[in-house]
Amino acid sequence: MIETEQANPPRAGWGEKLLPFIIMALVLLADQVTKYLVETRIPLYGVWAPIPALEGVFRIVHTANTGAVFGLFQGTGMFFAALAVVVAGAIVYFNLTLPGNQWAIRVALGLQLGGALGNLIDRLRQGHVTDFVDTGPWFIWNLADLAITSGVILFGFAYWREIRREEAAKRATEQATAPYADVTDSSPQP
């Protein structure tokens, strides 16, 4: 039975296939709303400390990021815009070809897709990405960056878990089909 399951993995239903797109829509909505609020209420490079006592570790700083996630590789925005289109296409294809019962991987794909498209919208709309969450010594980021990073971590964990599950199933199959060893009676003979 295990061999049959491995040879014919379960097919994903439409609910599973739609899950990444629902998550993508939620990420896009949250990302674009928060960026809009920052862009319309805080001047570029302006700072707002919602909790003054924590300003050294958390504040809102309106910045224009022409690089990648967390402000890395400044000035390469259009390269990352093109990369976002390729990644989005790969995520959609992977989701549609993924077998069933891969919920965690689909959630991860939705997070990554929403984050990539959120930052892509910024690049196409204004030539840079609006970043605003300043967490002290770390880079300044936005919700799209958080979704991408969370999606990558979740994908890695889910993929690792799936590999371990497949290895355990393979070992169980090998043990079940292994020929029985010759067993001799080890009781003392009179």
Side-chain angles (χ1 to χ4, degrees):
M1 180 163 174
I2 292 174
E3 290 178 21
T4 305
E5 289 176 6
Q6 288 177 346
N8 298 316
R11 294 186 65 171
W14 281 108
E16 281 184 84
K17 290 181 180 180
L18 287 176
L19 179 63
F21 299 106
I22 293 168
I23 291 171
M24 173 206 69
L26 294 172
V27 168
L28 271 174
L29 178 66
D31 177 63
Q32 293 299 301
V33 166
T34 55
K35 287 174 179 174
Y36 172 79
L37 292 172
V38 168
E39 291 166 0
T40 59
R41 289 175 169 71
I42 301 173
L44 190 59
Y45 303 111
V47 177
W48 173 52
I51 307 170
L54 297 178
E55 186 173 359
V57 292
F58 173 73
R59 63 188 186 157
I60 305 298
V61 179
H62 180 185
T63 62
N65 175 4
T66 61
V69 66
F70 299 120
L72 300 172
F73 310 112
Q74 289 296 312
T76 57
M78 286 305 118
F79 167 77
F80 286 104
L83 183 61
V85 171
V86 171
V87 167
I91 288 172
V92 169
Y93 174 78
F94 185 61
N95 173 54
L96 295 176
T97 60
L98 195 60
N101 299 325
Q102 301 292 328
W103 294 95
I105 289 178
R106 284 191 161 85
V107 168
L109 293 175
L111 289 168
Q112 293 172 46
L113 185 59
L117 294 179
N119 283 342
L120 176 63
I121 289 169
D122 281 11
R123 291 184 201 290
L124 297 177
R125 181 174 57 90
Q126 58 194 12
H128 66 269
V129 173
T130 297
D131 285 341
F132 57 90
V133 181
D134 184 358
T135 49
W138 194 244
F139 301 102
I140 299 174
W141 46 277
N142 60 45
L143 294 186
D145 296 340
L146 177 63
I148 292 168
T149 304
S150 300
V152 168
I153 292 168
L154 178 59
F155 184 88
F157 175 75
Y159 187 70
W160 171 78
R161 190 181 67 189
E162 185 63 25
I163 287 172
R164 297 218 14 167
R165 188 178 300 148
E166 288 175 5
E167 288 172 353
K170 182 178 177 184
R171 279 193 303 272
T173 301
E174 288 171 354
Q175 289 175 355
T177 59
Y180 290 94
D182 290 334
V183 179
T184 56
D185 189 348
S186 60
S187 59
Q189 297 293 330

